[in-house]
Amino acid sequence: MAYRTVLPVLVITGFLGSGKTTLVNRVLRGAAGARLGVVVNDFGEIGIDGALIEESTDDVVELADGCLCCRNTGDLEAALAALTARADRLDGIVVETSGLADPTAVVEVVANNRTDTPLALVGVVTVVDCQEFDANLRHATVAYRQMVAADLFVLSKTAVAPAADVELIPSRLTMINSVAPAVRGGEAVDAVASLLAPQAVPARRRDVPEPEAREHMTLPVVTLSVPEPLDRARFMSWIDGLGPSVVRVKGLVTFDGGGPPLVVDRVGARTTFRLAPPTVGRVLQDNDAVLVLFGTGADRASKALIACTARVSGKDVVA
C-alpha cells in the first residue's frame, strides 16, 4: 500500500437517525482494499455508534459524550493526530459526526490541523432522511446547516418515504445548496468512494455563516444501562407509545426468553430492529440493554422504560 504524504479526510454528517453509520459501513465494505481510519462521534455517556462499525479495527476512534462542533474539538484534534501517526498504513480517514453536529467546525479542525502528516478535506457528505425531511428542517436548524455544508448528498430511507416526495427532494436540496449533487442506492458508495480516491481533489472550502445559536446544545440526551433483559411486549408498547418529544432512540437490547442482542433504532414514528454485530459486547458488558434517548421528553420516557425489565433482581437501572 502506498504511503500517503497527504491524508484525505471525508466528513459524513446528517441529522439524527439519517443513516450515517450504515453509510460508513457500506463505504468500508466497498473500500476495495483501501485502509480507512474512522472517527465516530456519539452523543451520550455510552458510545454505541463505534461498536456498530462492522469492520471495526484498531483504526476506529470513538468520541463519546459530546459534540465535535463544540467542546470535543480538542478530542477530534487528538483523534486525528493518533490516526495520522499510523499514516503509513492508512489511505484516508472518515469522520462520522453526531446527528446534532454542525460540520463546519469539523471542517475547520481539519483545515487547521497540525498533524505530522498533512490532512486534506476531500468532502462533506450529508445523509438526508427522505422520510423525515420536512420534520427535520422544521424543527432543527442544525439539519439545515448540515445540508448547506454538503459537497454531496446521499438520500436515505427512500424505500419507506413516499415515492413522490423522494423524487422532489433533489430539487428541494438544490434550493438549499446548489453545489452538491444528490445520489441514492447503489450510486452512493461509488460516489463517496470517489472522494477518497488517490486522484481526488480537495474540496473547495465555502463560507457558511455562523448561526445565532447552536440548537444541539439544548437538546436533552439521556443514556440508560439496564442490567436485565427487557420484556418484549412491554418494550414494544413503550417504544410505540413515544410521542414527538422523544425525537430519537437508539441502542442495544436483549429480550427475555433468550436470543442475541439487537440494534434498535427509532426515528420519528419508525422503529427498526436488526441483529447486533459481535463488536457490541464491549458496550453491553454487564448489561442486557443500553439505550440513548434524545428530546425534551427523554427523561420522562426513560423512567417509564424501567418497567420493561423482565424481572427485578435488586440491580439498579443506571440513567
Side-chain angles (χ1 to χ4, degrees), residues 295-308:
T296 56
D299 185 61
R300 182 172 62 255
S302 68
K303 291 179 172 59
L305 178 64
I306 296 172
C308 296

Side-chain angles (χ1 to χ4, degrees), residues 110-174:
V110 174
N112 299 320
N113 77 89
R114 294 184 175 86
T115 52
D116 292 337
T117 300
L119 303 177
L121 179 77
V122 292
V124 175
V125 176
T126 300
V127 184
V128 177
D129 184 336
C130 292
Q131 190 175 35
E132 299 294 325
F133 184 83
D134 287 307
N136 290 344
L137 282 180
R138 187 163 57 247
H139 299 299
T141 301
V142 72
Y144 174 82
R145 291 183 58 76
Q146 291 166 349
M147 295 176 189
V148 170
D151 297 296
L152 174 70
F153 291 115
V154 171
L155 305 186
S156 69
K157 315 299 171 63
T158 56
V160 293
D165 292 349
V166 174
E167 292 303 318
L168 287 174
I169 283 175
S171 61
R172 297 179 65 187
L173 288 171
T174 300

